Amino acid sequence: MGEERQTESGTRPGKQAAPTATLYLQGAARLVGSLLEGQEEAFASAAEAVKRCMAEDGIVYLFGTGHSHMLAEEGHYRAGGLACVAPILASAVMLHEGATASTRMERLPGLAELIFSRYPIGARDVVVVFSTSGVNAVPVEAAKNTRAAGATVIAVTSQAYSRLAAQGRERLADVASIVLDNRVSPGDASLALADDVRAGPLSTVAGAALLNALLVEASARLIAEGGQPPVYVSANMPGAGERNAALVSRFRARIPHL
């Protein structure tokens, strides 16, 4: 075998302390572990809304712009996830076809109506809108429009960030039916690395944790009432093919991304 290289101090690569990475991970763990503290009532209301949506054969729609679009995909067609979840996806406000352009587009009034026109959202549905800054036109209008259509709208946002960023603008937190605070600090950078350098975003970690906590809580509540949540099984588990195919067949007509 080849000789292992060592650093000048004699420490093997991979064995060095990583104090900044550790601080980031510890901060992420603290954040995730405390997400429900102080907002138990709002979370319970959100879980009841999702449970009711499943019981009434509705759809749970997920939407975000920029990096928040990843949270819409987080809930879509995944092992252990709900088959009644539909992401709302539009290239104009995602990153892969032009990141700087998407930043301009998510601030464009009227665009939300065009994006949502292909999704038949109604009174039995739930719409979860993710926006950490909570002030851009597209997520705010998405929440207003779908709430006007009768859906229950759950905002996942940072109250502290949006209050700082609003500067007189309407906030997502002002127009949603239920607000869940992801507790991310303004700027979404958790660590000060130097006087003028902050890094370490946490909004995706917190958003994914809140989303999955919400879906499993709603599923457990539905089971407690004698219902059966439509949960996908990993394709690599026994019996997954038949079960998942039946769920896809059930929801394909209403979820355009299946």
Side-chain angles (χ1 to χ4, degrees):
M1 297 178 64
E3 181 179 287
E4 283 189 291
R5 293 190 305 162
Q6 295 185 332
T7 63
E8 291 181 359
S9 64
T11 304
R12 294 178 179 176
K15 299 294 185 179
Q16 295 172 309
T20 305
T22 298
L23 284 174
Y24 172 78
L25 293 172
Q26 289 173 340
R30 284 194 300 272
L31 175 62
V32 169
S34 64
L35 280 173
L36 300 189
E37 293 177 5
Q39 55 181 349
E40 294 88 351
E41 185 176 343
F43 184 82
S45 295
E48 282 294 310
V50 174
K51 181 205 73 178
R52 183 171 60 251
C53 175
M54 285 191 286
E56 296 176 358
D57 195 31
I59 298 293
V60 180
Y61 292 93
L62 309 180
F63 178 67
T65 63
H67 283 87
S68 291
H69 95 268
M70 293 188 292
L71 297 170
E73 295 196 55
E74 165 67 18
H76 176 49
Y77 191 63
R78 65 166 304 148
L82 293 176
C84 60
V85 166
I88 295 174
L89 303 175
S91 295
V93 291
M94 294 161 70
L95 303 172
H96 61 291
E97 293 184 0
T100 56
S102 74
T103 298
R104 295 193 295 271
M105 296 297 283
E106 70 183 357
R107 299 172 179 175
L108 186 64
L111 183 57
E113 185 176 0
L114 293 175
I115 291 172
F116 278 70
S117 62
R118 69 185 297 201
Y119 303 92
I121 296 171
R124 62 179 175 171
D125 302 320
V126 168
V127 179
V128 185
V129 180
F130 299 90
S131 176
T132 296
S133 65
V135 295
N136 289 323
V138 171
V140 171
E141 290 182 5
K144 291 177 69 173
N145 294 349
T146 54
R147 190 173 182 185
T152 300
V153 177
I154 301 169
V156 178
T157 187
S158 168
Q159 292 277 28
Y161 193 172
S162 65
R163 289 190 187 104
L164 182 67
Q167 298 182 355
R169 289 178 289 177
E170 196 168 39
R171 301 184 306 144
L172 174 61
D174 298 328
V175 299
S177 313
I178 302 166
V179 179
L180 298 179
D181 192 349
N182 66 14
R183 305 281 172 77
V184 170
S185 59
D188 195 13
S190 61
L191 294 177
L193 304 183
D195 289 343
D196 60 346
V197 179
R198 294 193 66 88
L202 288 172
S203 57
T204 304
V205 174
L210 272 174
L211 172 63
N212 286 301
L214 176 61
L215 298 181
V216 297
E217 177 66 24
S219 297
R221 291 181 181 216
L222 183 62
I223 290 171
E225 295 181 1
Q228 184 64 41
V231 178
Y232 284 121
V233 176
S234 171
N236 295 309
M237 296 296 289
E242 182 179 24
R243 176 171 176 170
N244 291 345
L247 290 173
V248 169
S249 178
R250 174 181 169 186
F251 290 102
R252 185 188 295 279
R254 290 184 289 160
I255 300 179
H257 305 290
L258 282 174

